């Protein structure tokens, strides 16, 4: 898999004069509004996160070309937390206290988000998080533009259980060993039990970040599948996806035998994989590059031109994916909220974010929920094609409201669908 090169630094813009200790309060005190970009540009997650940095910078360029925000240009401050979870917290603190950014766009893994969350809450910073996750969190300092489990994981499993999706009876829940896969699988196990699936028909497996030898695991899946119609739900993250999918191909495990549905594999992760043996395996997302509509066509063209102009790795085969779309929606909604609030001050922007809408490349108008800091998102299930793209085989009729607190976890019915005021 081709690793993307990264920007270590960008030219410094005008100095921002602080007029308050709280991030965002002074964001309009200079010629620019500083925004932080907090994505891993090295390490195991660079395969997925580098492109989110790139698309965020493209959005900033586009916004600046149209006059900026409140008449001021946006100035990106790019840092590399290097797939190192404690370093995420250090870099977040640096962005808020030293660089004095008004907002941060960043993180992929939930462990990185959990690492930075106390920093954003302590300093009253603002984070836009663009990746699907396990839910079970609601902070006033975060806007979640990726999917909650009811907008990705649950619909995908329901599809695989259906006649249309193959009627799976046995389940392998395979993930990277950290909070997102474990919590998602806790929810899925409870959901499967509610549908009458026995424990003996659920096999849960975890591998560390950066794991590369999937021979034994794929052999175990084949053995387990001999006991009845089986599907694999994959929450493998980062560059481990490459050896996993290669091993599926080597073992001749076809989608017609044991379909794999992935929640963290999109067009970018398949870039370096021979996808011919993987045809028919599935991914569940809220956007695919192959979706046809004028907004997506224009966005793909803009991205291709940007990648070429900036000489980005992979510019010869420019790809878009779901987290890129979520990042794109997030920065544009933030811009709209700043303009509505007539201020980049965090608390004013949070209030102005409620109910914001944006015509997304998915073809849907995405709406930020009035209360729960999550987007209403349509759900798509796509089959891998020989060219590394996805063919949509199922979708929701329209956007689905997020449930941050899953009804399949005990006690969640007593939790509020909005952040606590602190």
């Amino acid at each position: 898999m081709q690793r993307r090169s990264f920007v270590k630094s960008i030219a410094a813009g005008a100095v921002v004069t602080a007029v308050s200790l709280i991030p965002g309060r002074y964001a309009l005190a200079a010629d620019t509004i500083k925004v932080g970009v907090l994505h891993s540009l090295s390490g195991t997650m660079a395969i997925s996160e580098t492109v989110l940095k790139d698309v965020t910078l493209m959005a900033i360029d586009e916004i600046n070309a149209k006059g900026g925000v409140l008449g001021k240009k946006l100035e990106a401050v790019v840092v590399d937390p290097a797939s190192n979870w404690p370093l995420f917290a250090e870099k977040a603190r640096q962005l808020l206290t030293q660089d004095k950014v008004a907002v941060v766009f960043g993180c992929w893994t939930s462990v990185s988000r959990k690492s930075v969350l106390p920093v954003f809450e302590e300093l009253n910073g603002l984070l836009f998080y663009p990746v699907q996750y396990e839910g079970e969190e609601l902070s006033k300092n975060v806007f979640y533009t990726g999917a909650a489990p009811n907008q990705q994981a649950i619909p995908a499993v329901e599809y695989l259980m259906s006649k249309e999706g193959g009627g799976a009876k046995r389940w392998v829940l395979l993930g990277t060993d950290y909070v997102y896969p474990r919590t998602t699988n806790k929810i899925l196990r409870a959901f499967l039990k509610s549908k009458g699936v026995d424990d003996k028909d659920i096999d849960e497996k975890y591998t560390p970040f950066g794991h590369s030898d999937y021979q034994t695991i794929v052999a175990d899946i084949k053995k387990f599948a001999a006991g009845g119609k089986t599907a694999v739900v994959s929450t493998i993250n980062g560059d481990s996806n490459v050896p996993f999918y290669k091993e599926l191909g080597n073992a001749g495990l076809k989608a017609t035998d044991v379909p794999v549905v992935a929640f963290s594999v999109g067009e970018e992760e398949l870039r370096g994989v021979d996808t011919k043996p993987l045809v028919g395996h599935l991914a569940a997302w809220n956007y695919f590059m192959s979706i046809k509509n004028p907004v997506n066509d224009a966005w793909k063209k803009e991205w291709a031109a940007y990648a070429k102009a900036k000489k980005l790795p992979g510019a010869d085969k420019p790809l878009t994916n779901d987290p890129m779309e979520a990042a794109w929606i997030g920065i544009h909604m933030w811009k709209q909220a700043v303009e509505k609030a007539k201020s980049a001050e965090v608390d004013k922007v949070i209030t102005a974010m409620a109910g914001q809408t944006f015509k997304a490349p998915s073809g849907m108008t995405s709406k930020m929920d009035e209360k729960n800091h999550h987007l209403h998102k349509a759900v798509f299930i796509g089959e891998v094609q020989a060219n590394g793209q996805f063919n949509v085989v199922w979708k929701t009729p329209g956007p689905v409201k997020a449930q941050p607190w899953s009804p399949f976890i005990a006690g969640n019915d007593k939790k509020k669908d909005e952040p606590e005021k602190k």
Side-chain angles (χ1 to χ4, degrees), residues 11-17 29-34 73 75 77 99:
V15 176
V16 175
T17 306
D31 295 336
T32 63
I33 301 174
K34 285 189 174 184
K73 295 289 172 78
E75 180 187 341
V77 183
D99 299 306

Side-chain angles (χ1 to χ4, degrees), residues 66 93 121 139 304 315 355 378 383:
K66 293 177 179 175
R93 188 173 292 277
E121 292 186 336
S139 170
E383 282 187 349

Side-chain angles (χ1 to χ4, degrees), residues 317-347:
K317 185 188 174 185
L319 300 175
T320 54
N321 64 22
D322 177 292
M324 288 171 70
E325 191 218 26
W328 185 255
I329 293 168
I331 191 165
H332 283 91
M333 279 194 174
W334 172 80
K335 170 192 180 284
Q336 291 170 190
V338 170
E339 289 171 341
K340 183 182 177 184
K342 297 182 173 58
S343 167
E345 187 177 327
V346 167
D347 289 336

Side-chain angles (χ1 to χ4, degrees), residues 69 82 138 180 216 230 254 267 278 285 317 336 370 410:
V69 182
L138 206 47
Y180 162 64
T216 305
T230 298
K254 292 185 170 58
E267 294 82 352
L278 307 180
W285 290 106
K317 185 188 174 185
Q336 291 170 190
E370 285 79 5

Side-chain angles (χ1 to χ4, degrees), residues 14-31:
V15 176
V16 175
T17 306
V19 297
S20 162
L21 293 175
I22 300 174
R25 294 289 169 90
Y26 47 79
L28 300 182
D31 295 336

